[in-house]
Amino acid sequence: MATMDSRKSQKSSEQCPLVALVGNPNTGKSTLFNRLTGLRQHIANYPGVTVEKKSGLLRLGNQDLDLLDLPGCYNLTAVSRDERVVMDVLGGRHGLRRPDLLVFVVDASNLKRNLLLASQCAELGIPAIMALNQCDAAKRNGIQIDTALLAKQFGIPVVETVATRGRGVDDLKSAISNALSNPSFLPRIHWPECIAKGCQVLQTGVKDLGGDGVTQAEALRVLFDSDSVFTCGISDKICLKKMVDAAHQDIRGLGLSPGSAEAVLHYRHLESLLKGVVTSTGPIARSHESIDAILLHRVWGTLIFFVVMYVVFQSLYSWAGPLMDLIDTLTGMAQGFISPLLENMPVLQSLICGGIISGVGGVLVFLPQILILFFFISLLEDTGYMARAAFLVDKLFSWCGLNGRSFVPLLSSYACAIPGVMAARTLSDPKARLTTILMAPFMSCSARLPVYILLIGTFIEPRYGAFAAGWALFAMHFIGLALALPLAWLLNTFFLKIKPQPFILEMPDYRVPTLRNIFHRMWERGREFVLRAGTVILAFSIIIWCLLYFPRNPSVAEKIRTDFASNPTTSISKDALEHRIESAYIEQSYLGRFGKAVQPVFEPAGFDWKITVGVLSSFPAREVIIATMGIIYNLGADVDEGSEDLRTILQSEKWTSGPRMGQPVYTLPVVIGIMVFFALCMQCGATVAIIARELDWRWATFSFFSMTTLAWISAVVIYQIGKLF
Amino acid sequence: MSATLDSLNVGDSAEIVDISSDCTRAGRMATLGFIPGRRVTVTRLAPLGDPISVDIGGQEISLRRAEARLIQVKQA
């Protein structure tokens, strides 16, 4: 009770100090963050960008601190708003809270390069301490670090940590606590005259031009990043560029090139500070050399890559199956249990069973795949293999603006786009991540398979044989990929204005992963999905239920009952009668009416109103099509893709009106058109929700409409060409 | 002899002279250790010939040929 009260008062007064972890990628920063906060974490997005904001509660005795895990980066360079987040936080811009203390997490094996970021941040004048992480690995590599000297030279406390084992975490906590009451600062680089002057000119120039006013640290960013997004609120870019160009001229006068000058000067500064701090015994023995000789080998490396990816894919595609079935069974049991209790309230019964329970089931059913995928992703990243895998296959993707890291997200999208889109977080380049996310739904996920099996099994296999059927199935799985990569190229070449960034990968040392870290990642992603995307998916499910259920005028059922009762020649079983009523209700529902109304839109693709309603009702989740077809064709919802009854009906289905009256509905061009439509269309509310969550609603909407349009065009083209033969 | 990093063979070693690129890109590469005066050794190629992997100051870094082409080197 006492703790709750104290927390409440802390929150309301907004007085808890903000501590931010800053560091390069692969330094174990997030592991350290997890060690410090445990499960008291909160994940959100920074406002206006697609970068994840990870914050947590750090409890030091009776003091609570807000801990922020800033995105890992090598420097403060920013060409996109996503990358600018670190600088915005450190500068306290855009309403973001400026941290009271920075904890620099540095990899002991690569001290100099890691400290470059710290040296840049020193300009900001925020108190700092240093966590020297992965000390054990450094020692194994023969690197000795004089921690006391390091602390003395940099003027801030230094704590040795091994985050994966939790070593040094308590020391770090007390160092944080001490630093808050007794702050110390990193030594600032002494800039050559001309750069200092260039900054001043910029700072005053910005003020004169009516800009926001910039700090020296921000002026440096404008000076050194020619593509900088720090426009300082100035519209007159030419004037700004003149100032920058003048400074660059001066830098050239120093014998430096403006591009590398900043890094060169920081490295010189660091080299003088690090004198005597690092001693390596003999030549640096790199443990990964012998492993790389095999894992990156042209033949063996490629072979191992495909084996690893096969295991990842199989586990998603097949091994997740039993768990997903279990969730389906449990959903069915819950419906079976609740349904009789609400027998006399049919609307509520249908809402709870058909809308809510199946919606919750529809959310949970994704969890096994998400958890399994993130198990493997954590494993591959923590061991250091992920960077190698990206190196091996980068060439396959580089031409269209993706990169080697796109492989795992796209591959997993063949099982399901949801974990695939989430996996795109492993791409650090915002542009490549965006493109990967938009291409993921094109991969033929397992929910499309029943449609292919039904239609190929009904129309292609009987007529053209098993061989053709096999090829048709393969083609359906290939078409999405074949279109997605050129589309990615188009998108990157003509539409995305962000400049492509060099794909430079650091090959981290191989490490033994810890289960703790892996499970944390799985838990984090699973929770994320259920809480954030899950709620939207559930809402979709309920909306679609409403559209399929209402207006449900009882006269519809009455009419069918009296028709059959008054006509004794047609005898019909009770089940069959119920199926007819269900079918009539769907036809009368808002969605059914809508389907009939928009049927002309699908007319050029050769779809009748039944196919149109089937297609429309499967927008929330494409696998629903089979059950909808079952209802529409009077078989009830309980059919599957292997159902002989459904196949027979589809084969004999004929147009009942219009110019094609009496002709079969499902001709070959129509069948292929439907399959291609399903292959390319974004018929998955969950994917829309997850894209909105990972990027934003604008991209989700764009993805939905562009895919749907593309699917429609393809179906129309196929039907129109097919008609010619 | 002056050349660009992408023209080196596996096992070749050279000294970086300059990076000819826009500031931001050059800055990024410089941050990762590609700065004038440093020695760089090509350690391997990816199975499809691109990207390449280099050793720079004991760090293994992979970069695409398109980027390697921007790095001017001098072979001893």
Side-chain angles (χ1 to χ4, degrees), chain A residues 417-645:
Chain A
I418 311 294
V421 168
M422 291 175 79
R425 283 179 179 249
T426 51
L427 280 94
S428 48
D429 178 13
K431 191 173 174 179
R433 173 165 173 248
L434 170 69
T435 319
T436 305
I437 288 177
L438 294 179
M439 295 310 130
F442 278 104
M443 306 304 120
S444 188
C445 68
S446 54
R448 285 155 165 125
L449 193 60
V451 182
Y452 302 156
I453 290 180
L454 173 71
L455 293 176
I456 291 175
T458 310
F459 297 102
I460 294 180
E461 202 176 356
R463 238 183 282 173
Y464 304 95
F467 187 71
W471 271 105
L473 193 61
F474 174 77
M476 294 320 300
H477 278 88
F478 189 70
I479 185 171
L481 181 68
L483 276 171
L485 296 184
L487 281 175
W489 179 82
L490 277 176
L491 192 70
N492 270 301
T493 316
F494 297 109
F495 298 103
L496 292 180
K497 284 183 202 114
I498 318 164
K499 257 202 174 181
Q501 283 311 301
F503 183 61
I504 304 184
L505 273 173
E506 179 193 0
M507 299 284 178
D509 280 341
Y510 287 104
R511 293 186 195 120
V512 181
T514 61
L515 276 180
R516 189 191 159 104
N517 228 8
I518 292 176
F519 285 129
H520 189 100
R521 191 98 177 255
M522 291 166 69
W523 176 84
E524 180 184 278
R525 288 299 152 221
R527 175 170 170 264
E528 249 313 84
F529 171 76
V530 172
L531 292 184
R532 308 204 133 243
T535 42
V536 179
I537 297 170
L538 181 61
F540 273 145
S541 168
I542 293 170
I543 291 169
I544 288 297
W545 169 85
C546 288
L547 293 177
L548 271 171
Y549 190 85
F550 292 110
R552 211 172 187 86
N553 195 335
S555 65
V556 173
E558 281 313 307
K559 185 170 179 301
I560 291 178
R561 287 213 179 86
T562 43
D563 278 0
F564 277 101
S566 63
N567 192 350
T569 52
T570 49
S571 68
I572 189 165
S573 73
K574 192 171 174 292
D575 270 358
L577 184 65
E578 286 303 315
H579 290 157
R580 293 253 164 151
I581 293 171
E582 201 49 45
S583 171
Y585 270 138
I586 273 227
E587 199 181 336
Q588 292 290 311
S589 71
Y590 290 122
L591 198 73
R593 291 176 198 189
F594 183 63
K596 280 193 162 175
V598 300
Q599 191 269 331
V601 175
F602 288 93
E603 175 71 38
F607 293 6
D608 67 355
W609 76 264
K610 292 179 182 175
I611 303 176
T612 307
V613 172
V615 163
L616 289 178
S617 69
S618 48
F619 268 97
R622 44 177 75 85
E623 59 272 25
V624 170
I625 179 83
I626 308 283
T628 314
M629 293 289 229
I631 296 174
I632 293 175
Y633 291 112
N634 300 326
L635 295 170
D638 218 11
V639 292
D640 62 31
E641 64 272 21
S643 159
E644 278 307 320
D645 291 343

Side-chain angles (χ1 to χ4, degrees), chain A residues 75 267 286 394 501 505, chain B residues 28 31 55 59-60 62 64:
Chain A
N75 58 19
Y267 275 130
R286 288 209 315 277
D394 180 59
Q501 283 311 301
L505 273 173
Chain B
R28 270 179 216 265
T31 303
D55 180 307
Q59 266 294 297
E60 183 101 3
S62 135
R64 286 179 182 162

Side-chain angles (χ1 to χ4, degrees), chain A residues 74-75 77 79 83 110 112-113 116 224-227 248 257 259-260 263 267 286 292-293 296 302 391-392 394-395 398 402-403 501-507, chain B residues 18-19 22-36 38 44-53 55 57-64 67:
Chain A
Y74 293 109
N75 58 19
T77 298
V79 295
E83 282 183 305
N110 201 344
K112 205 194 323 173
R113 197 204 63 207
L116 188 130
F224 289 118
D225 300 348
S226 56
D227 301 312
H248 282 185
S257 60
S260 51
Y267 275 130
R286 288 209 315 277
D292 273 349
L296 297 182
T302 313
F391 172 72
L392 290 172
D394 180 59
K395 185 71 191 285
S398 56
L402 303 175
N403 67 45
Q501 283 311 301
F503 183 61
I504 304 184
L505 273 173
E506 179 193 0
M507 299 284 178
Chain B
D18 198 10
I19 305 170
D22 59 80
C23 272
T24 306
R25 272 223 263 194
R28 270 179 216 265
M29 290 200 249
T31 303
L32 284 167
F34 293 95
I35 55 175
R38 288 240 191 135
R44 58 173 52 84
L45 308 179
L48 299 168
D50 189 16
I52 66 173
S53 175
D55 180 307
Q59 266 294 297
E60 183 101 3
I61 306 258
S62 135
L63 72 170
R64 286 179 182 162
E67 273 100 41

Side-chain angles (χ1 to χ4, degrees), chain A residues 22-42:
Chain A
V22 189
N24 287 185
N26 299 313
T27 49
K29 186 167 64 67
S30 293
T31 311
L32 200 56
F33 177 77
N34 293 342
R35 284 282 177 181
L36 288 169
T37 59
L39 298 180
R40 294 179 297 263
Q41 297 185 0
H42 179 68

Side-chain angles (χ1 to χ4, degrees), chain A residues 394-428:
Chain A
D394 180 59
K395 185 71 191 285
L396 296 175
F397 299 100
S398 56
W399 64 275
C400 60
L402 303 175
N403 67 45
R405 284 188 185 270
S406 309
F407 190 88
V408 170
L410 292 183
L411 177 77
S412 20
S413 298
Y414 265 104
C416 177
I418 311 294
V421 168
M422 291 175 79
R425 283 179 179 249
T426 51
L427 280 94
S428 48

